[in-house]
């Protein structure tokens, strides 16, 4: 494991410290900005702005840099300090993000909002804006959310099952064209061989997860952890007993959901209800 360098004598201002560390790591690797961009899949100008302190980048970009440089968690910790107290990526969510990237399979339930892995930019922007984000911070978080979608792409994508409450599909965006695009994207992703989508109809009635969004991550070695979320907080759950209780509730709810084929038809039928003339 690479040793972390002593930071004595380096900048103590968080944003400058973060930019300084990025410059030092890249210089040590011998890579140019353009080469770094090609290796990690982001425009090289982004890394230039980050090294100048003009932008912090998204958590996903910083995680990729941590992995690339062999500094697990160091850059993300510096990023969080630089982002200040208003960042949404607190300790538990940061750990969740790391576990999500390692997961060999994922199971999800959406109670009121589509999961970030299935969101289009327009949907993500409206959801995050409703949560109070504005300006540069809003655009940064939209970019971060779009980066997470890569988890479900490619031949090595882990199996992903999502159960969507009908309420999720009955709560449109303000812009009809953006809502059409979101429903189209859900239908497209549902056709991927690694994705299983089910809809839980309102007619199913009450169930054990009617107020909780939930994600299970099955990790290498067989361990399963859960992440629950509501409008105000998220919680990573790693203890066996509560994870097992959540799994039983999830299995019972899944038995009430439509089949994958019925669910995709449900999404397509919902899409047909959206006016085509408003699409752009």
């Amino acid at each position: 494991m690479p040793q972390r360098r002593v930071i004595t004598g380096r900048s103590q201002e968080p944003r400058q410290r973060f930019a300084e560390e990025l410059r030092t790591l890249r210089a040590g690797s011998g890579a140019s900005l353009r080469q770094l961009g090609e290796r990690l899949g982001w425009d090289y100008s982004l890394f230039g702005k980050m090294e100048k302190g003009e932008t912090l980048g998204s958590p996903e970009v910083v995680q990729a840099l941590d992995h690339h440089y062999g500094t697990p968690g160091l850059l993300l910790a510096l990023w969080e300090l630089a982002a200040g107290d208003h960042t949404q990526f607190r300790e538990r969510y940061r750990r969740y993000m790391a576990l999500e990237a390692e997961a060999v399979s994922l199971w999800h339930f959406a109670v009121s909002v589509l999961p970030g892995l299935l969101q289009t930019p327009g949907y993500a922007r409206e959801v995050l804006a409703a949560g109070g984000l504005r300006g540069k911070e809003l655009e940064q978080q939209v970019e971060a959310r779009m980066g997470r979608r890569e988890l479900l792409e490619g031949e090595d994508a882990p199996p992903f099952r999502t159960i969507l409450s009908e309420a999720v599909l009955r709560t449109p965006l303000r812009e009809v064209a953006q809502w059409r695009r979101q429903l189209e994207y859900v239908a497209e992703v549902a056709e991927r061989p690694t994705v299983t989508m089910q809809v839980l109809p309102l007619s199913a009635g009450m169930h054990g997860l009617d107020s909780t969004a939930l994600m299970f991550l099955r990790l290498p070695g067989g361990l399963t952890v859960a992440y629950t979320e509501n409008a105000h907080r998220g919680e990573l759950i790693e203890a066996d007993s509560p994870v097992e209780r959540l799994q039983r509730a999830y299995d019972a709810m899944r038995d009430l959901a439509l089949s994958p084929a019925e669910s995709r038809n449900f999404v397509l039928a919902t899409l047909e209800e959206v006016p085509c003339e408003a699409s752009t």
Side-chain angles (χ1 to χ4, degrees), residues 14-16 18-20 22-23 43-59 61-62 65 78-79 82-83 136-137 139-141 143:
R15 194 180 187 102
Q16 293 178 12
F18 178 63
E20 187 178 64
L22 292 175
R23 294 193 300 270
D43 192 294
Y44 72 93
S45 64
L46 170 63
F47 298 114
K49 292 178 181 178
M50 291 172 69
E51 290 185 10
K52 293 177 183 177
E54 296 175 359
T55 183
L56 293 176
S58 70
V61 172
V62 178
L65 288 167
L78 291 174
W79 178 92
K136 182 182 294 186
E137 186 180 9
E139 295 308 314
Q140 183 184 76
Q141 297 300 340
E143 180 183 354

Side-chain angles (χ1 to χ4, degrees), residues 85-254:
D85 293 338
H86 298 295
T87 178
Q88 294 184 350
F89 294 87
R90 305 319 306 170
E91 179 65 31
R92 288 187 178 181
Y93 189 60
R94 188 169 70 231
R95 174 161 169 72
Y96 166 79
M97 288 169 59
L99 293 175
E100 182 183 78
E102 299 175 6
V104 296
S105 61
L106 308 90
W107 301 274
H108 175 265
F109 171 59
V111 66
S112 60
V113 177
L114 284 166
L117 293 172
L118 296 184
Q119 292 180 10
T120 60
Y123 189 96
R125 185 171 290 105
E126 186 164 321
V127 168
L128 291 168
L133 295 185
R134 298 289 185 273
K136 182 182 294 186
E137 186 180 9
L138 172 61
E139 295 308 314
Q140 183 184 76
Q141 297 300 340
V142 171
E143 180 183 354
R145 191 157 292 189
M146 293 307 97
R148 289 181 62 205
R149 300 196 311 183
E150 296 178 3
L151 183 68
L152 301 183
E153 299 173 356
E155 296 180 357
D156 297 329
F160 175 63
R161 174 186 293 275
T162 183
I163 302 175
L164 308 177
S165 168
E166 181 180 343
V168 174
L169 301 172
R170 296 297 186 190
T171 307
L173 299 177
R174 293 186 180 89
E175 294 187 25
V176 176
Q178 293 289 353
W179 181 231
R180 264 193 84 79
R181 179 64 195 119
Q182 178 61 76
L183 291 175
E184 289 170 350
Y185 186 70
V186 170
E188 291 169 11
V189 174
E191 293 187 311
R192 296 179 186 174
T194 57
V195 174
T196 302
M197 183 198 69
Q198 294 180 260
V199 173
L200 181 70
L202 295 175
S203 60
M206 301 293 288
H207 55 85
L209 296 172
D210 53 14
S211 62
T212 304
L214 174 65
M215 177 76 89
F216 291 108
L217 306 176
R218 184 171 177 80
L219 304 175
L223 177 67
T224 298
V225 302
Y227 185 77
T228 60
E229 191 171 39
N230 58 34
H232 305 289
R233 61 170 297 183
E235 182 178 7
L236 180 64
I237 303 172
E238 301 181 73
D240 291 343
S241 294
V243 169
E244 176 63 27
R245 287 195 296 271
L246 288 169
Q247 285 182 313
R248 288 198 295 269
Y250 186 87
D251 289 343
M253 180 191 60
R254 184 176 58 187

Side-chain angles (χ1 to χ4, degrees), residues 22 36 40 47 50 61-69 75:
L22 292 175
L36 184 62
L40 297 186
F47 298 114
M50 291 172 69
V61 172
V62 178
Q63 277 192 308
L65 288 167
D66 256 335
H67 180 74
H68 176 71
Y69 290 130
L75 291 178

Side-chain angles (χ1 to χ4, degrees), residues 5 10 19-29 51:
R5 294 187 301 283
R10 303 174 74 87
E20 187 178 64
E21 189 68 24
L22 292 175
R23 294 193 300 270
T24 301
L25 286 168
R26 185 173 61 80
S29 73
E51 290 185 10

